[in-house]
Amino acid sequence: MSAIRSVVRGVGSYLPARCLTNADLAQMVDTSDEWIVQRTGIRTRHIAAEGEVTSDLAIHAARAALADAGLTPDDIDLIVLATSTPDNTFPATAVSVQAGLGITHGAAFDLQAVCSGFVFALATADNFLKTGAYRRCLVIGAETFSRILDWSDRTTCVLFGDGAGALVLEAVRDEEEGRGVLTSHLRSDGRHKNKLYVDGGVSSTRSVGFLRMEGREVFRHAVGMITDVIVDAFEATGESADTIDWFVPHQANRRIIDASAVKLGIAPEKVVITVDQHGNTSAASIPLALAAAHADGRIKRGDLVLLEAMGGGFTWASALVRW
Ligand code: UT7
């Protein structure tokens, strides 16, 4: 029986024009560039303009990914969009992206797994493509976390930023070079749901709410969860820290990324870092980092790329992709 693989055809991203630096934040709350850089590695982040919504960011990123793939919106029959900051409670932000791109066939829906959302979306799209139900999928991570930050809370407002990234995945039968999504591993454990959450919601408060986090608690769990799920990916494929070309982790905190790489024995030069420039953009952080490393020529066709994320829920996930 011939097998279908989900192969990356293109990648693109978009960042809002406005940058908010650590120095800017030090004017707003009791913090400093030194504290933020030392504890997180973040130097600056992008913030969406007034009226610029998550689907606007996503549409820009999707167009960039389509251009990179040499495809048009008409070629897409599935959109899976990961976000925790949708334009509205409903309809799904994905249908605004679909309409914005002028696509009237196929399906589009949102997926919510907070910072792990992109890897969950990639795995979901991969499974749909492998069944033969759809041909080409836009997998998007797009966020406007600036809208759910309490800008008076220095423990959270310095950490996050806005942005979007997108991949075009194509179902390819009998892929000869071994390209495509090789494996994905998704986990969640709702016992930790109060360690990183938004204190409002449609059914609970009829409001949007603000992000709340027990940062130290999240940090305490992060490295173990990340490394566990990466070991699962290595065991499923026979790959290892030595055989991967690039490690593209969720960009929450430089210290978490470095500690995970050390624990797994991944060489520092294989680690793609964008947290310094983007902050934590939740579901958008991995495709933003992929787009950056693809655009500057680091990630090339045939490279083995390891993705991982961990976030609210807790959720955590890994994927191995032969680019
Ligand atoms: O993407 C989803 C996953 N999220 C994460 O991965 C985030 C995980 N957590 C973290 O990245 C870190 O825990 C933080 C960056 C949030 C905090 O770093 P930390 O080293 O865990 O610091 P801490 O929370 O233990 O706080 C240390 C001190 C505290 O003061 P005291 O109690 O020692 O006097 C805080 O009040 O730093 C203080 N502090 C700040 N100082 C200056 C907290 N935020 C700030 C700030 N500026 N912005």
Side-chain angles (χ1 to χ4, degrees), residues 31 35 39-40 115 154 215-216 219 250 252-253 255-256 280:
T31 192
W35 189 95
R39 300 290 176 130
T40 72
C115 296
R154 70 175 183 173
R216 221 175 291 188
F219 199 109
H250 170 52
N253 185 319
R255 286 154 61 209
I256 295 175
N280 181 349

Side-chain angles (χ1 to χ4, degrees), residues 1-303:
M1 205 180 77
S2 59
I4 297 176
R5 278 277 183 85
S6 308
V7 173
V8 176
R9 282 288 303 266
V11 55
S13 66
Y14 175 78
L15 290 158
R18 182 180 159 222
C19 285
L20 187 70
T21 65
N22 292 348
D24 296 332
L25 280 160
Q27 308 280 319
M28 296 159 61
V29 288
D30 181 15
T31 192
S32 64
D33 177 58
E34 191 191 5
W35 189 95
I36 301 171
V37 171
Q38 198 227 330
R39 300 290 176 130
T40 72
I42 301 167
R43 295 182 183 277
T44 186
R45 72 287 288 145
H46 293 253
I47 302 293
E50 193 67 38
E52 192 176 33
V53 294
T54 296
S55 64
D56 296 324
L57 276 49
I59 289 168
H60 283 298
R63 286 196 196 286
L66 286 167
D68 186 49
L71 296 170
T72 67
D74 236 17
D75 296 316
I76 298 297
D77 56 4
L78 181 65
I79 300 174
V80 184
L81 187 149
T83 190
S84 302
T85 46
D87 296 1
N88 292 90
T89 303
F90 75 78
T93 301
V95 301
S96 295
V97 173
Q98 188 191 30
L101 294 173
I103 303 172
T104 53
H105 59 273
F109 62 90
D110 287 0
L111 185 153
Q112 218 274 53
V114 205
C115 296
S116 310
F118 185 78
V119 184
F120 275 59
L122 183 78
T124 303
D126 177 41
N127 281 310
F128 272 116
L129 293 177
K130 282 195 297 207
T131 67
Y134 296 95
R135 180 87 198 282
R136 292 194 195 92
C137 179
L138 271 168
V139 186
I140 305 173
E143 303 280 14
T144 46
F145 259 53
S146 61
R147 306 269 155 74
I148 53 166
L149 294 177
D150 174 352
W151 288 100
S152 66
D153 175 10
R154 70 175 183 173
T155 69
T156 52
C157 77
V158 304
L159 302 174
F160 296 88
D162 300 337
L167 283 191
V168 177
L169 276 189
E170 182 173 58
V172 177
R173 203 174 278 279
D174 297 326
E175 214 294 314
E176 284 175 1
E177 299 168 55
R179 299 173 69 210
V181 178
L182 307 185
T183 193
S184 55
H185 300 265
L186 312 184
R187 293 290 316 278
S188 52
D189 185 345
R191 287 176 299 176
H192 300 288
K193 65 183 179 156
N194 293 329
K195 296 189 175 101
L196 173 49
Y197 67 105
V198 170
D199 64 4
V202 188
S203 188
S204 53
T205 60
R206 304 189 198 184
S207 65
V208 173
F210 292 112
L211 183 149
R212 305 293 176 203
M213 177 165 71
E214 292 174 34
R216 221 175 291 188
E217 272 297 294
V218 180
F219 199 109
R220 201 166 67 77
H221 286 87
V223 176
M225 288 178 161
I226 289 164
T227 51
D228 276 357
V229 83
I230 290 174
V231 168
D232 289 346
F234 287 158
E235 284 178 0
T237 55
E239 302 293 349
S240 70
D242 293 332
T243 61
I244 63 159
D245 295 293
W246 299 106
F247 178 40
V248 185
H250 170 52
Q251 310 280 321
N253 185 319
R254 178 75 200 241
R255 286 154 61 209
I256 295 175
I257 296 172
D258 289 347
S260 306
V262 167
K263 193 168 171 194
L264 289 157
I266 298 172
E269 58 273 17
K270 292 182 178 180
V271 184
V272 175
I273 301 282
T274 50
V275 69
D276 54 332
Q277 296 302 311
H278 302 165
N280 181 349
T281 58
S282 191
S285 90
I286 291 174
L288 274 163
L290 285 171
H294 171 70
D296 67 19
R298 273 179 289 173
I299 298 181
K300 295 179 293 297
R301 187 184 175 109
D303 281 355

